[in-house]
Amino acid sequence: MKAWNGRFRTRLDPAALKFSSSLAVDKRLYKEDIEGSIAHVEMLARKGIIPTRDGRKIKRALRGIEREIGKGKFSLDAKMNNRERFVAEDVHMAIEKKLIEKVGEIGGKLHTARSRNDQIALDERLYLRRSISIVCGLILQFQKRILTEAERNIDVIMPGYTHLQHAQPILLAHHLLAYVSMVERDRERFIDCLRRVSRSPLGAGALAGTSFPIDRNMTARKLGFNAVLENSIDAVSDRDVQIEFLSACAMTMMHLSRFAEELILWSSHEWNFVEIGDAFTTGSSIMPQKKNPDIAELIRGKTGRVYGDLMALLTVMKGLPLAYNRDLQEDKEPLFDACDTVTDCLSMFSSMLKTTRFNARRFERMSDFLLATEVADYLVRKGLPFRKAHAIAGTIVRDCLAKNISLEELPLKSYQHYSKLFGKDLRQILNIRSSLLQKKSIGSTSPREVRKLLIRWKKTCDR
Ligand code: ARG
């Protein structure tokens, strides 16, 4: 049975049906689909478009179908029926077919004043709404995990990098908190997208609306939406909120990937800053010394797929004339893939971080030459223009490197050889910890600022 048997003499070529069926992918929308159908049928009955009794029967049967699918009693697999070898075109048709099997002809009334075009647009918005709340919860969990690590390592000093070169000493906690800020903006992007997701396309019909006296606001309210999408053509033809969601996913993955990359570098023998727990690393079958950060690498690698998902949907949409085109069916795979990937990666990252140990001694030992800027600033405070001070400090660093000694090891006499402005008080700034204490600006790496931020984040994350 097909929904358009009346018009057609021959049925769709079986290979063409298989080619065009989305059931294998969109079956995971069955709950959303049934939720939307129940709201629709309640409205139809309330408005007297179908008899209340029929509405009630349909609703009960839909709930039954949902339970059966949940328990695996009714499978939404492509082969619906051995005799007919019917391949349902999509989740909507599969459920409707089942409904008619259960309640007979009246099941056909469910689709009054509705099209699969507004139906799928609705299902995806319900799916997005749920996914956004899951992803935001995982971001929060990830932030809390980072905060725990930052607090545990609150005194650890490390070299801050620019160009992957040692730049200035910073607190490890400060470095970690940078990621908390980044993913907070990701969370905001998801929440912001939710505002636009929360509008109901139901009732737009195929594209032009319907002459039945439906109440779009009623179904929107029942489904917990803030409003209806007011232009019926727009409601069935755009996928911009899906693209927004994918773009927020891509951005989140980009942040996770940078963090993963640092953990990968930091786990190497050369850095030796961190050790990721055995449960999240793998060994080598031939090189016994190896401990590979595979999970972090996979998070970095999967970022590429999510970028691909975003690009795929942007490309599908480009050049589509209004309103619905079957091309739109291709939105689901990238959407589900990105959502699965970002949720998996967020929870994997949190678990992996929990097992990661930060090597405080090594961090601090690597903080040599980080005081060059302090030396320059010292000269500035003594009245030298910054450019000049910078040049002098640079020469000192070069000479120390040649002698293989650190800035702290160079005697004051030698400093005075470069500039008469160096005095006894130089010793105070040639100490990494006191150099951190000297930082005053908001958001700087001074222990006071970092602690303040940490406390603020802990409050925010306990909301
Ligand atoms: N499976 C379809 C999709 O995902 C549902 C809408 C079908 N509409 C149509 N006019 N063929 O886009």
Side-chain angles (χ1 to χ4, degrees):
M1 189 219 45
K2 285 296 247 177
W4 47 85
N5 267 357
R7 165 81 173 74
F8 285 66
R9 279 214 188 89
T10 46
R11 30 165 86 226
L12 183 61
D13 178 273
L17 177 55
K18 191 159 172 254
F19 174 74
S20 58
S21 172
S22 57
L23 184 58
V25 175
D26 62 21
K27 64 179 179 187
R28 64 189 276 180
L29 289 174
Y30 80 89
K31 279 197 172 139
E32 287 81 0
D33 199 68
I34 289 175
E35 190 186 346
S37 290
I38 287 177
H40 182 65
V41 83
E42 281 176 353
M43 182 277 294
L44 290 179
R46 266 301 282 290
K47 300 299 289 180
I49 301 169
I50 64 167
T52 315
R53 230 169 22 126
D54 293 351
R56 232 181 277 132
K57 266 193 189 156
I58 292 173
K59 213 166 101 177
R60 209 173 311 127
L62 284 171
R63 292 233 166 88
I65 294 172
E66 184 176 1
R67 271 196 305 275
E68 284 172 36
I69 300 174
K71 286 190 190 144
K73 281 195 195 147
F74 163 46
S75 142
L76 280 175
D77 284 325
K79 204 171 75 183
M80 298 295 293
N81 164 325
N82 286 328
R83 190 166 38 85
E84 244 184 309
R85 296 191 72 78
F86 173 87
V87 178
E89 199 182 287
D90 51 32
V91 65
H92 324 297
M93 307 268 278
I95 291 175
E96 190 179 319
K97 180 174 187 289
K98 185 72 183 175
L99 176 70
I100 293 172
E101 265 171 39
K102 271 187 180 281
V103 299
E105 269 200 335
I106 62 154
K109 295 186 180 179
L110 168 65
H111 213 54
T112 314
R114 188 175 70 167
S115 153
R116 280 182 300 151
N117 297 353
D118 56 346
Q119 195 176 350
I120 184 61
L122 171 69
D123 292 4
E124 288 190 2
R125 280 170 187 263
L126 293 173
Y127 168 83
L128 281 174
R129 203 169 64 184
R130 202 163 43 93
S131 303
I132 288 172
S133 107
I134 293 171
V135 171
C136 287
L138 288 169
I139 291 181
L140 188 65
Q141 208 179 300
F142 181 55
Q143 288 174 312
K144 285 185 175 170
R145 173 46 44 201
I146 302 177
L147 291 178
T148 307
E149 297 308 324
E151 196 168 24
R152 191 175 284 161
N153 294 282
I154 190 70
D155 290 320
V156 178
I157 295 174
M158 65 173 275
Y161 293 85
T162 62
H163 310 270
L164 208 57
Q165 305 282 325
H166 284 193
Q168 287 178 316
I170 56 171
L171 285 182
L172 170 61
H174 193 200
H175 188 102
L176 294 175
L177 286 179
Y179 286 110
V180 176
S181 296
M182 292 180 204
V183 297
E184 175 67 6
R185 286 191 297 277
D186 293 328
R187 207 186 58 82
E188 284 170 12
R189 271 182 275 273
F190 282 111
I191 298 289
D192 190 56
C193 160
L194 186 60
R195 281 197 305 141
R196 284 174 287 281
V197 166
S198 301
R199 288 178 202 148
S200 171
L202 190 59
L207 78 163
T210 171
S211 46
F212 287 100
I214 61 167
D215 184 342
R216 292 192 64 196
N217 287 316
M218 186 191 289
T219 45
R221 255 195 325 272
K222 278 181 190 294
L223 292 164
F225 286 110
N226 298 335
V228 300
L229 282 165
E230 56 201 1
N231 184 314
S232 62
I233 298 174
D234 167 48
V236 293
S237 49
D238 208 353
R239 293 292 182 268
D240 57 346
V241 289
Q242 286 82 343
I243 292 174
E244 245 186 286
F245 175 80
L246 287 176
S247 135
C249 288
M251 197 83 82
T252 308
M253 289 302 297
M254 178 272 288
H255 287 142
L256 295 187
S257 184
R258 293 185 73 177
F259 197 179
E261 163 73 359
E262 291 199 317
L263 292 183
I264 294 162
L265 289 175
W266 291 3
S267 315
S268 72
H269 186 70
E270 284 74 5
W271 254 277
N272 191 20
F273 280 178
V274 298
E275 183 168 351
I276 303 173
D278 291 0
F280 292 87
T281 47
T282 64
S284 155
S285 46
I286 57 166
M287 298 165 280
Q289 83 283 8
K290 288 195 76 177
K291 196 171 177 194
N292 301 325
D294 291 33
I295 301 302
E297 290 169 277
L298 279 168
I299 292 170
R300 187 178 59 185
K302 283 173 191 287
T303 304
R305 300 165 66 123
V306 176
Y307 288 6
D309 291 329
L310 169 63
M311 208 40 68
L313 188 53
L314 276 170
T315 312
V316 165
M317 295 307 291
K318 172 186 179 299
L320 279 191
L322 300 184
Y324 181 85
N325 300 273
R326 192 64 180 273
D327 314 44
L328 292 176
Q329 180 168 291
E330 288 296 311
D331 65 348
K332 284 169 232 14
E333 271 174 279
L335 191 61
F336 298 158
D337 183 66
C339 185
D340 293 346
T341 308
V342 91
T343 48
D344 282 356
C345 289
L346 277 166
S347 65
M348 267 293 124
F349 213 133
S350 297
S351 313
M352 176 176 72
L353 262 187
K354 199 170 176 186
T355 71
T356 301
R357 291 290 151 258
F358 293 84
N359 186 350
R361 298 254 299 285
R362 175 77 182 163
F363 272 118
E364 300 198 359
R365 210 170 325 130
M366 291 313 283
S367 302
D368 266 4
F369 290 110
L370 292 174
L371 295 165
T373 314
E374 302 304 325
V375 173
D377 285 352
Y378 173 92
L379 292 174
V380 170
R381 278 195 294 274
K382 301 268 166 171
L384 218 58
F386 182 74
R387 284 289 159 230
K388 195 105 187 265
H390 181 279
I392 294 176
T395 317
I396 297 176
V397 168
R398 198 190 52 209
D399 294 350
C400 281
L401 277 171
K403 290 186 196 142
N404 200 16
I405 56 170
S406 75
L407 286 172
E408 280 183 85
E409 283 160 353
L410 188 72
L412 181 59
K413 271 224 164 59
S414 313
Y415 273 98
Q416 285 164 340
H417 171 76
Y418 296 96
S419 165
K420 290 275 164 283
L421 294 172
F422 285 116
K424 280 220 171 70
D425 52 348
L426 178 65
R427 283 292 150 222
Q428 282 162 29
I429 66 125
L430 282 185
N431 173 295
I432 294 192
R433 212 160 282 276
S434 70
S435 102
L436 290 186
L437 283 167
Q438 304 224 350
K439 294 274 180 293
K440 292 187 183 62
S441 52
I442 294 180
S444 73
T445 205
S446 94
R448 246 200 24 219
E449 278 297 310
V450 174
R451 264 203 195 93
K452 205 167 81 191
L453 254 152
L454 185 66
I455 290 168
R456 213 203 59 203
W457 274 120
K458 276 173 62 177
K459 262 195 213 130
T460 317
C461 289
D462 278 336
R463 70 208 143 195

